[in-house]
Amino acid sequence: MTANSRRSDTEPPGLETQRREVETLLRGGELRSGDSWYVVERHWFEQWKQFVEHGDQNSSSFPGRIDNSELFEDLDSFHMKERLVENEDFLLLPAEAWNKLLSWYGLVEGHPPLERKVVDLPSTLKVEVYPVEIFLCLHSNMENVTTAQFSRTDNIQSIQKLICRLFSVPPGSECRLWMKSSDSSCERLRNIYVSVLDACLSSGMTVIMETRNADGTWPSSRPQIMRNSVEDQDSYRGQPGVCGLTNLGNTCFMNSALQCLSNTPPLTEYFLLSSYLEELNFSNPLGMKGEIAEAYADVIKQMWSGRHYSVVPRVFKTKVGHFASQFLGYQQHDSQELLSFLLDGLHEDLNRVKNKEYIELRDAEGRPDQEVAEEAWRNHRRRNDSVIVDTFHGLFKSTLVCPECHKVSVTFDPFCYLSVPLPVSKERVMEVFFVSLDPYAKPVQHRVVVPKAGKVSDLCSALSEMTSIPATQMVVADVFNHRFYKIYNADESLSCILDRDDIFVYELSVHEEEQQEEQQQQEEQQQEEEQEEQQQQEEQQEQQQEEQQEEQQDEEQQQEEEQEEQQEEQQEEQQGQVLLALYLRERSHYRDYGSGSSSYGTSLFGHPLLLNVQRNSCSREKLYQLFLQRLARYVRPPDPSEELEEEEEEDDEEEELYKTQTNGISEDEDDAERASQSDDTTEPGPAPPQPSLDHGDEAAANNGTATRSEPPGNTDPTDSNHGNPAAPGNPAAPGDGANSTDQSEPAAERDTTEEEKEEDKQEEACSPSPPANEQPAKRRACHRKKKCLFTIAAVTSNGTTERGGGEGGSAVSFNSQSFVAIDWDPEMKKRFYNENEAEKYVKHSSMEVPQQQSSVQLQECIQLFTTVETLEEENPWYCPVCKKHQLATKKLDLWSLPEVLIIHLKRFSYTKFTREKLDSIVDFPLRPGLLRLPAEEESDQWGASKPL
């Protein structure tokens, strides 16, 4: 365990202080080159926020130690998963905030802290979450490969020095470096002073070093020259344009956009004919000094030369990252974002307008649409005139209507592409595991269809139709890392449940009050039927109407009184219900002295359970039997032939410990008197198996003047034989003639035999001398007792033992929601707990039905784009008549279309909690003229391209 994984000995401050200190550090955290930031798993951090805002030490949101397990591919190498998204999978914390959380909560044992450095990239500072991971080797032995990580700001010389050190290259050796891509193509790294970023090195690439031979030659002129290099131009002749683009590392988004634009004839011809050279705009402050246009032209010319199988767009990628910092590095990005940036950059670099004039926009003010549209297009061309405008720009017609004065505002706005929405389904498919009340039934995985904006109760109702279990007997919970991350209420929204969450639905038992409610409903129905019969009799027997009414009133009063009594009883019983959350823990072989106690360390395993129990059934003895029944499918009870007995010394220790936990009250004299009633020839029978009362044993009251404390695990306070000397297994012999304990005690003292005294002397010789009144109790403790499979402990919602909880008290604290754990000794778990059986589940027939992917027409998406909508409160429209902002209605129409229409499908639907990707199939026409666009006057407005 590292120092970073252990919590400090100092007590953490209050929850409000923790929240305020961390929030202050997060708000004031500024990126400075070279500073350290730390990666924290979002799930844990959100749970910590919930804990400090609404919780206490025993609340369900206690986060426990910092756990980054979900960020690792495996817990052996601790290699971070690829393509993790900031603020969705992880958060970045400044070093000060991390150190505070680490000192308060500690880090999961064995986990390394995920420290990352702030690097100074072109035009931005950024925390380098994913350093570049490169393979290093020598040309003389390319099978001996070493992996190393480098910052993107490191230069190539640092890689060279590391290779020399790792492979013991003699000092002063002349060497040169090659970088090898995933497609086995190689390039020479000529300038060793450029950065890793500028050299376009990405994770997964290999850097090969070769040293000059003694005769002045190189071992290889080049390990493998790239196919599109100048030296190999004559080696391939293919069809122009049929050319691939090498993936530089998660650059498929860029390559797809380049391939689309490459196959746009007007734009490609423009660059192949070098027409762009005359229109490069180096003075446009909104442009990029022509660099983007030149880099794009270079890629297009290579792709259409017919001399390359594939092209490596490294220079283009570097230029894009230089002018748009969001595309730096090699993480996944949206292809539409890259395409939008590229079209805008090409337009500004090739804009024929050198000096843009100011133009004041005018409203339609009742003028014909044709006139207003022509004016808007002329104004647009006066400021924007390029090959991009000629090819991709069109006009929207925007109509706004004020909801109060009904003022109509019509404007015409240029566009470069359409971002059309997809019809969103109002239903959602969820996969859940149903845990039946039958202990021998395996969990069943179901696939249910629920309303997307529904509640947890809708999920229960849908599952009820499949299982025939009433929805009122179900509880939904999110299980994470062997514990309950959240137990949902019926009225909570389903939107807070993510598709990747492991959702379990537990069937709860029916209690007496529910049966009473059903009986009450049946009684009410019978009463209504009786009242109807009485009314019919009243109509037939009018003379006896008054007497019948009086009798009926008396019966109604009695019924009301009975109903009130039943309601009171129901309320009392409801107060006695406990929803019990059960965790499974395994004790380690060592004691956790580092936590400040001498208790054994524990770790959670298996799937937790939810049970509905009555408060009067929460004694440890009853819970032990209940848990055994509930786990019967994968917990094997011991055979009678198997010996599960505890040693007598352990019994003595537990007895002494128990005495100290009952405030010093001991009735061992009573034990001695009871023991002396035994006949000399009668051997005491073995005690029945009972749970070992770990962490808090219950003192059983015997309705006497003094409280009697039994040794742990020997007697069930609820047993009908408790306190009966003649009961089986009691030291008192049958037929002794003693009817009560009080009457037999004096006689027992007087009738102590010489043999018993001799046994006491021998007992004293074998053990330290206790007080005389403890000798009989000690002798009884020497008898072996049955050992339990597990012990029960009250825990927090996080599965940790409560501070000071369970010491001398009941098994659980009587709250509406309580958490307990059953602790297994490793040896007992190995013998009686079947892990394979516990993990088994079955699939419902709903899982076998393939999910039908919904399909929509592209025309439907465009129609949805042109429907009337009301503006949101965050983006109101200022009405010139009302002189205030209004939530006006807005409608967009396509007035004129460009020669090439770019349609972007908005596949992400955002809610307050989630970002959902819509996987609907969109059918679109492959030939011109098959797409029918919505229009008020189709003959006037629509065509392949309407010149203005």
Side-chain angles (χ1 to χ4, degrees):
M1 180 186 297
T2 61
N4 286 327
S5 64
R6 189 178 290 274
R7 187 168 40 188
S8 68
D9 297 333
T10 60
E11 189 71 19
L15 301 183
E16 177 61 26
T17 303
Q18 293 184 34
R19 183 189 64 80
R20 187 173 59 253
E21 290 184 3
V22 173
E23 285 186 354
T24 302
L25 292 173
L26 291 180
R27 285 195 302 266
E30 295 182 359
L31 296 180
R32 291 186 295 269
S33 181
D35 284 358
S36 294
W37 285 60
Y38 289 83
V39 179
V40 177
E41 200 266 332
R42 187 191 65 85
H43 208 147
W44 183 93
F45 190 77
E46 292 296 330
Q47 190 170 350
W48 172 81
K49 286 175 58 179
Q50 182 181 357
F51 172 63
V52 296
E53 290 177 1
H54 308 292
D56 53 42
Q57 184 64 34
N58 297 327
S59 70
S60 61
S61 58
F62 181 74
R65 296 187 177 222
I66 301 175
D67 190 354
N68 288 329
S69 301
E70 292 298 308
L71 302 180
F72 300 123
E73 288 184 352
D74 57 76
L75 297 181
D76 294 328
S77 64
F78 293 106
H79 191 276
M80 279 187 64
K81 294 178 180 177
E82 298 294 334
R83 303 178 184 178
L84 296 177
V85 180
E86 185 178 357
N87 297 326
E88 184 174 327
D89 299 306
F90 67 89
L91 293 96
L92 292 171
L93 303 181
E96 296 84 354
W98 163 263
N99 290 331
K100 286 186 177 294
L101 291 175
L102 183 66
S103 64
W104 297 335
Y105 298 93
L107 186 63
V108 172
E109 182 178 357
H111 285 200
L114 298 178
E115 181 181 6
R116 295 295 184 265
K117 295 291 185 180
V118 179
V119 295
D120 189 2
L121 301 175
S123 72
T124 185
L125 287 171
K126 200 170 186 179
V127 179
E128 197 173 30
V129 177
Y130 288 101
V132 180
E133 193 171 77
I134 302 175
F135 301 107
L136 309 176
C137 66
L138 293 178
H139 181 267
S140 57
N141 186 8
M142 298 182 64
E143 294 182 355
N144 183 15
V145 179
T146 301
T147 305
Q149 290 185 344
F150 297 94
S151 171
R152 288 168 177 80
T153 58
D154 292 339
N155 56 25
I156 304 301
Q157 187 179 32
S158 63
I159 300 179
Q160 179 176 315
K161 290 180 178 178
L162 180 61
I163 296 178
C164 292
R165 185 170 70 253
L166 292 175
F167 296 99
S168 302
V169 177
S173 299
E174 188 176 356
C175 56
R176 61 182 183 180
L177 301 178
W178 299 82
M179 65 176 180
K180 180 181 177 182
S181 304
S182 57
D183 62 350
S184 298
S185 61
C186 291
E187 283 185 85
R188 170 83 180 278
L189 292 172
R190 300 180 182 276
N191 187 354
I192 62 174
Y193 299 104
V194 299
S195 65
V196 170
L197 176 66
D198 293 334
C200 295
L201 276 172
S202 60
S203 295
M205 298 182 69
T206 303
V207 174
I208 305 171
M209 174 188 283
E210 62 172 348
T211 57
R212 189 185 291 273
N213 296 325
D215 59 358
T217 62
W218 293 99
S220 172
S221 58
R222 50 185 66 87
Q224 184 180 350
I225 297 299
M226 296 173 52
R227 292 179 178 136
N228 64 338
S229 63
V230 178
E231 291 85 347
D232 261 2
Q233 284 184 358
D234 298 330
S235 63
Y236 172 74
R237 285 291 183 270
Q239 183 179 350
V242 182
C243 180
L245 291 171
T246 300
N247 192 334
L248 303 177
N250 291 332
T251 57
C252 51
F253 71 95
M254 181 186 74
N255 293 352
S256 61
L258 288 175
Q259 290 285 12
C260 288
L261 287 182
S262 171
N263 289 277
T264 304
L267 186 63
T268 298
E269 291 177 5
Y270 174 82
F271 281 98
L272 292 179
L273 296 175
S274 299
S275 301
Y276 71 96
L277 294 176
E278 299 177 358
E279 296 181 348
L280 284 174
N281 191 337
F282 300 102
S283 60
N284 187 356
L286 300 178
M288 302 168 194
K289 299 180 175 56
E291 293 186 29
I292 286 293
E294 290 179 333
Y296 176 77
D298 181 59
V299 173
I300 293 299
K301 289 181 178 180
Q302 289 186 63
M303 293 177 67
W304 287 83
S305 66
R307 297 173 180 173
H308 310 301
Y309 292 103
S310 64
V311 172
V312 183
R314 294 190 187 278
V315 177
F316 180 81
K317 172 68 172 62
T318 303
K319 294 295 183 184
V320 169
H322 180 76
F323 290 103
S325 60
Q326 67 269 28
F327 299 114
L328 278 170
Y330 294 90
Q331 296 184 9
Q332 285 283 5
H333 295 283
D334 185 63
S335 183
Q336 165 63 18
E337 293 180 8
L338 187 279
L339 182 62
S340 175
F341 161 78
L342 181 55
L343 290 175
D344 185 63
L346 291 176
H347 161 64
E348 296 296 350
D349 273 359
L350 302 171
N351 198 345
R352 304 179 185 106
V353 179
K354 305 302 180 182
N355 298 311
K356 296 184 178 182
E357 57 181 311
Y358 172 75
I359 299 174
E360 185 176 356
L361 300 179
R362 293 173 55 196
D363 198 355
E365 297 178 353
R367 292 181 295 162
D369 288 347
Q370 186 72 22
E371 178 184 344
V372 180
E374 291 177 355
E375 178 185 75
W377 186 251
R378 287 195 304 270
N379 291 338
H380 179 61
R381 294 301 294 260
R382 288 162 62 184
R383 292 175 54 86
N384 303 278
D385 185 12
S386 68
V387 65
I388 303 300
V389 176
D390 299 338
T391 309
F392 299 103
H393 283 207
L395 272 184
F396 284 138
K397 176 187 176 183
S398 176
T399 305
L400 290 166
V401 180
C402 178
E404 290 188 9
C405 66
H406 303 290
K407 158 71 175 174
V408 179
S409 174
V410 177
T411 57
F412 289 85
D413 305 307
F415 70 89
C416 186
Y417 51 86
L418 299 182
S419 290
V420 297
L422 271 65
V424 180
S425 174
K426 295 183 179 180
E427 294 181 337
R428 173 184 178 186
V429 177
M430 297 184 66
E431 294 182 2
V432 299
F433 291 92
F434 177 71
V435 182
S436 172
L437 198 60
D438 181 4
Y440 294 96
K442 298 182 181 69
V444 184
Q445 187 180 22
H446 291 263
R447 182 177 289 159
V448 295
V449 180
V450 295
K452 185 168 291 187
K455 297 182 178 180
V456 173
S457 58
D458 297 320
L459 172 60
C460 296
S461 299
L463 194 59
S464 176
E465 296 179 0
M466 292 185 176
T467 60
S468 301
I469 302 298
T472 55
Q473 290 179 230
M474 296 181 183
V475 173
V476 181
D478 180 1
V479 177
F480 173 73
N481 201 15
H482 311 297
R483 57 172 64 90
F484 290 113
Y485 177 71
K486 185 172 184 180
I487 300 175
Y488 295 97
N489 297 321
D491 58 348
E492 289 191 70
S493 175
L494 288 175
S495 60
C496 60
I497 300 180
L498 305 180
D499 290 335
R500 63 187 179 187
D501 292 340
D502 293 327
I503 301 300
F504 284 72
V505 181
Y506 297 86
E507 178 189 359
L508 301 181
S509 58
V510 181
H511 291 297
E512 295 180 359
E513 64 272 5
E514 297 176 358
Q515 298 175 351
Q516 290 178 356
E517 289 180 359
E518 295 179 358
Q519 294 177 0
Q520 182 179 350
Q521 292 177 357
Q522 295 176 357
E523 292 175 359
E524 290 177 353
Q525 291 178 357
Q526 293 177 358
Q527 292 171 4
E528 291 177 357
E529 294 175 357
E530 291 176 358
Q531 290 177 1
E532 291 178 357
E533 293 177 359
Q534 290 175 0
Q535 290 177 359
Q536 293 177 359
Q537 293 175 2
E538 289 172 1
E539 293 176 357
Q540 296 174 359
Q541 303 174 358
E542 295 180 355
Q543 2 182 342
Q544 301 177 355
Q545 184 175 6
E546 294 180 357
E547 296 178 359
Q548 292 177 354
Q549 288 178 351
E550 291 177 357
E551 292 176 358
Q552 185 176 354
Q553 289 177 357
D554 294 340
E555 290 177 358
E556 290 177 352
Q557 288 179 357
Q558 291 178 359
Q559 292 174 1
E560 290 178 356
E561 291 176 356
E562 292 176 357
Q563 290 178 359
E564 290 178 357
E565 291 178 358
Q566 290 178 356
Q567 291 177 356
E568 291 177 356
E569 293 176 358
Q570 291 174 10
Q571 291 177 356
E572 291 177 357
E573 290 180 358
Q574 287 177 356
Q575 292 176 354
Q577 292 184 20
V578 176
L579 182 62
L580 208 60
L582 175 63
Y583 290 156
L584 283 73
R585 302 193 304 185
E586 180 179 0
R587 283 196 293 259
S588 60
H589 292 283
Y590 60 90
R591 294 183 182 270
D592 189 10
Y593 296 102
S595 63
S597 68
S598 60
S599 61
Y600 284 94
T602 58
S603 59
L604 292 172
F605 70 93
H607 297 294
L609 292 173
L610 280 177
L611 305 91
N612 213 4
V613 299
Q614 292 292 330
R615 189 186 301 271
N616 55 13
S617 300
C618 286
S619 66
R620 293 184 184 271
E621 292 77 10
K622 291 185 177 180
L623 288 180
Y624 180 82
Q625 298 299 330
L626 177 63
F627 294 163
L628 276 181
Q629 296 174 2
R630 197 70 180 85
L631 305 174
R633 181 170 61 87
Y634 43 89
V635 173
R636 179 180 65 84
D639 296 332
S641 60
E642 295 180 284
E643 293 185 2
L644 292 177
E645 296 181 344
E646 294 182 352
E647 297 295 334
E648 54 183 345
E649 290 83 7
E650 296 177 358
D651 292 345
D652 295 342
E653 293 177 358
E654 291 186 4
E655 181 179 0
E656 295 301 326
L657 175 63
Y658 178 79
K659 292 174 183 178
T660 63
Q661 292 178 346
T662 52
N663 298 326
I665 301 176
S666 178
E667 291 292 336
D668 291 310
E669 294 179 0
D670 189 21
D671 293 341
E673 293 164 2
R674 289 176 183 267
S676 65
Q677 295 177 12
S678 173
D679 190 85
D680 296 342
T681 61
T682 303
E683 292 293 334
Q690 297 292 348
S692 175
L693 302 187
D694 186 29
H695 297 296
D697 305 323
E698 294 186 84
N702 64 349
N703 296 327
T705 57
T707 303
R708 186 176 186 275
S709 300
E710 289 289 338
N714 285 342
T715 306
D716 186 345
T718 60
D719 191 351
S720 60
N721 295 329
H722 176 62
N724 185 358
N730 193 291
D736 203 26
N739 297 326
S740 68
T741 304
D742 297 337
Q743 294 176 357
S744 61
E745 285 176 357
E749 291 182 7
R750 290 191 301 269
D751 295 337
T752 303
T753 64
E754 294 298 329
E755 293 179 2
E756 290 178 343
K757 292 180 180 180
E758 185 64 25
E759 290 177 2
D760 293 345
K761 293 179 180 179
Q762 294 177 2
E763 185 79 13
E764 286 183 54
C766 296
S767 61
S769 300
N773 60 353
E774 290 185 14
Q775 291 290 345
K778 191 174 195 60
R779 183 176 64 253
R780 188 187 64 171
C782 291
H783 298 296
R784 295 177 179 270
K785 66 172 183 176
K786 291 292 182 66
K787 184 179 180 181
C788 294
L789 300 182
F790 51 78
T791 57
I792 304 171
V795 296
T796 66
S797 63
N798 200 43
T800 57
T801 305
E802 293 178 331
R803 293 182 179 178
E807 295 296 333
S810 59
V812 296
S813 56
F814 295 127
N815 301 323
S816 60
Q817 171 66 66
S818 299
F819 295 84
V820 298
I822 57 176
D823 292 339
W824 290 80
D825 181 78
E827 198 61 36
M828 299 289 282
K829 175 174 176 285
K830 183 178 181 181
R831 292 174 61 185
F832 298 101
Y833 184 87
N834 190 334
E835 293 189 15
N836 293 333
E837 183 65 27
E839 294 296 328
K840 289 183 179 179
Y841 68 95
V842 296
K843 291 188 176 183
H844 188 259
S845 57
S846 59
M847 296 295 298
E848 299 176 359
V849 178
Q851 289 184 269
Q852 296 182 353
Q853 237 176 347
S854 58
S855 176
V856 297
Q857 299 293 326
L858 181 59
Q859 186 169 342
E860 296 179 45
C861 301
I862 297 178
Q863 288 174 347
L864 186 61
F865 175 75
T866 57
T867 55
V868 179
E869 62 177 357
T870 302
L871 298 179
E872 298 178 349
E873 294 183 359
E874 295 81 8
N875 187 27
W877 171 65
Y878 183 81
C879 178
V881 177
C882 299
K883 303 297 183 183
K884 62 178 180 180
H885 289 89
Q886 298 283 9
L887 299 181
T889 59
K890 181 179 180 180
K891 186 177 188 303
L892 284 176
D893 292 303
L894 302 179
W895 179 259
S896 67
L897 300 181
E899 183 177 358
V900 177
L901 177 62
I902 300 175
I903 299 178
H904 165 229
L905 303 177
K906 298 168 67 175
R907 286 198 172 272
F908 287 96
S909 175
Y910 294 90
T911 65
K912 183 178 180 182
F913 299 96
T914 61
R915 183 187 70 165
E916 177 189 8
K917 185 175 182 178
L918 308 177
D919 56 358
S920 303
I921 297 176
V922 179
D923 294 328
F924 57 90
L926 300 178
R927 288 180 294 169
L930 297 181
L931 177 63
R932 182 168 179 170
L933 300 174
E936 298 174 0
E937 299 175 5
E938 190 169 330
S939 60
D940 292 337
Q941 292 182 341
W942 305 111
S945 178
K946 185 177 183 63
L948 295 177

